Amino acid sequence: MPLINQLFRFMFDYSTGSGEEKVQNQAALVASISALLSETSLRERTVQELWALSWDKPIWAYQKASSGAVVVSRCIDNNVFANPHQVPRNTPNNVGLLRGLRDPETKLIRINGLG
């Protein structure tokens, strides 16, 4: 059952009643939703985790997969985009890191925007 359906089911099951019963039902609702969310992948992520999941996305945009794969592998092997606080700036030498891509200068600008 999709997550949103489970949330609505919990709301329906626990949010009825009057007075003290309703307060107890609302507390049960919050506890149930908290338990459900703790069992899913919905959680806060660190800056480093978000960066690891997103830095390569501009490389793949409007790009052949074979070209993107070569550049991403090269960047990973050379630890180029490992730290979101030390992203190479848009200089001719750094644009060379993305050689083989369509419009590498724009891609580096976009990666810097993510950083």
Side-chain angles (χ1 to χ4, degrees):
M1 174 183 297
L3 175 64
I4 195 70
N5 290 350
Q6 291 182 33
L7 292 174
F8 281 121
R9 186 177 50 112
F10 286 137
M11 290 172 66
F12 178 79
D13 291 343
Y14 293 112
S15 293
T16 59
S18 61
E20 185 62 32
E21 182 183 25
K22 184 169 186 157
V23 171
Q24 290 173 350
N25 289 340
Q26 288 172 339
L29 170 66
V30 171
S32 296
I33 290 174
S34 294
L36 177 64
L37 291 176
S38 69
E39 295 172 8
T40 68
S41 62
L42 299 176
R43 61 176 178 82
E44 287 190 34
R45 307 233 185 228
T46 66
V47 170
Q48 192 64 37
E49 286 174 317
L50 290 173
W51 178 252
L53 292 169
S54 65
W55 72 266
D56 65 333
K57 300 309 179 253
I59 291 175
W60 298 105
Y62 307 107
Q63 195 62 55
K64 288 183 179 178
S66 58
S67 301
V70 169
V71 172
V72 168
S73 292
R74 182 185 323 131
C75 292
I76 290 170
D77 291 345
N78 293 305
N79 219 20
V80 176
F81 296 111
N83 186 340
H85 304 293
Q86 296 175 347
V87 179
R89 296 293 170 218
N90 193 359
T91 65
N93 189 43
N94 289 338
V95 169
L97 296 168
L98 304 179
R99 72 184 178 280
L101 297 178
R102 182 184 320 174
D103 200 7
E105 184 175 309
T106 300
K107 291 185 185 288
L108 187 56
I109 290 169
R110 290 182 177 156
I111 293 170
N112 272 276
L114 289 172

